PDB file of all heavy atoms in Angstrom:
ATOM      1  N   ARG A   3     254.522 133.163  77.507  1.00  0.00           N
ATOM      2  CA  ARG A   3     253.857 134.431  77.294  1.00  0.00           C
ATOM      3  C   ARG A   3     253.633 134.638  75.805  1.00  0.00           C
ATOM      4  O   ARG A   3     254.388 134.202  74.990  1.00  0.00           O
ATOM      5  CB  ARG A   3     254.736 135.588  77.785  1.00  0.00           C
ATOM      6  CG  ARG A   3     254.674 135.787  79.243  1.00  0.00           C
ATOM      7  CD  ARG A   3     255.751 136.780  79.598  1.00  0.00           C
ATOM      8  NE  ARG A   3     255.762 136.941  81.018  1.00  0.00           N
ATOM      9  CZ  ARG A   3     255.113 137.887  81.647  1.00  0.00           C
ATOM     10  NH1 ARG A   3     254.400 138.755  80.984  1.00  0.00           N
ATOM     11  NH2 ARG A   3     255.163 137.970  82.937  1.00  0.00           N
ATOM     12  N   CYS A  26     215.580 143.972  69.017  1.00  0.00           N
ATOM     13  CA  CYS A  26     215.531 143.215  70.268  1.00  0.00           C
ATOM     14  C   CYS A  26     215.516 141.711  70.078  1.00  0.00           C
ATOM     15  O   CYS A  26     216.218 140.997  70.768  1.00  0.00           O
ATOM     16  CB  CYS A  26     214.288 143.576  71.057  1.00  0.00           C
ATOM     17  SG  CYS A  26     214.274 145.277  71.471  1.00  0.00           S
ATOM     18  N   GLY A  54     252.822 139.623  86.368  1.00  0.00           N
ATOM     19  CA  GLY A  54     253.235 138.329  85.846  1.00  0.00           C
ATOM     20  C   GLY A  54     253.123 137.206  86.856  1.00  0.00           C
ATOM     21  O   GLY A  54     252.745 136.086  86.510  1.00  0.00           O
ATOM     22  N   VAL A  74     241.382 132.355  88.991  1.00  0.00           N
ATOM     23  CA  VAL A  74     241.361 133.821  89.187  1.00  0.00           C
ATOM     24  C   VAL A  74     241.470 134.164  90.666  1.00  0.00           C
ATOM     25  O   VAL A  74     242.111 135.155  91.042  1.00  0.00           O
ATOM     26  CB  VAL A  74     240.115 134.494  88.554  1.00  0.00           C
ATOM     27  CG1 VAL A  74     240.143 134.346  87.039  1.00  0.00           C
ATOM     28  CG2 VAL A  74     238.800 133.965  89.125  1.00  0.00           C
ATOM     29  N   ILE A 108     234.097 138.785  92.655  1.00  0.00           N
ATOM     30  CA  ILE A 108     234.426 137.551  91.919  1.00  0.00           C
ATOM     31  C   ILE A 108     233.149 137.054  91.244  1.00  0.00           C
ATOM     32  O   ILE A 108     232.046 137.254  91.768  1.00  0.00           O
ATOM     33  CB  ILE A 108     235.030 136.507  92.905  1.00  0.00           C
ATOM     34  CG1 ILE A 108     235.682 135.344  92.170  1.00  0.00           C
ATOM     35  CG2 ILE A 108     233.994 136.004  93.917  1.00  0.00           C
ATOM     36  CD1 ILE A 108     236.714 134.581  93.025  1.00  0.00           C
ATOM     37  N   GLU A 165     254.413 150.363 106.985  1.00  0.00           N
ATOM     38  CA  GLU A 165     255.163 151.568 107.343  1.00  0.00           C
ATOM     39  C   GLU A 165     255.387 152.434 106.098  1.00  0.00           C
ATOM     40  O   GLU A 165     255.265 153.660 106.147  1.00  0.00           O
ATOM     41  CB  GLU A 165     256.495 151.140 107.983  1.00  0.00           C
ATOM     42  CG  GLU A 165     257.200 152.200 108.786  1.00  0.00           C
ATOM     43  CD  GLU A 165     256.318 152.968 109.783  1.00  0.00           C
ATOM     44  OE1 GLU A 165     255.426 152.347 110.418  1.00  0.00           O
ATOM     45  OE2 GLU A 165     256.509 154.197 109.913  1.00  0.00           O
ATOM     46  N   GLU A 269     237.789 145.075  69.768  1.00  0.00           N
ATOM     47  CA  GLU A 269     236.844 146.113  69.318  1.00  0.00           C
ATOM     48  C   GLU A 269     235.942 146.545  70.468  1.00  0.00           C
ATOM     49  O   GLU A 269     235.618 147.728  70.616  1.00  0.00           O
ATOM     50  CB  GLU A 269     235.980 145.568  68.164  1.00  0.00           C
ATOM     51  CG  GLU A 269     236.738 145.363  66.873  1.00  0.00           C
ATOM     52  CD  GLU A 269     235.967 144.513  65.866  1.00  0.00           C
ATOM     53  OE1 GLU A 269     235.000 143.816  66.255  1.00  0.00           O
ATOM     54  OE2 GLU A 269     236.358 144.537  64.695  1.00  0.00           O
TER      55      GLU A 269
END
Side-chain angles (χ1 to χ4, degrees):
R3 280 170 183 266
C26 299
V74 295
I108 193 159
E165 198 47 38
E269 290 166 343

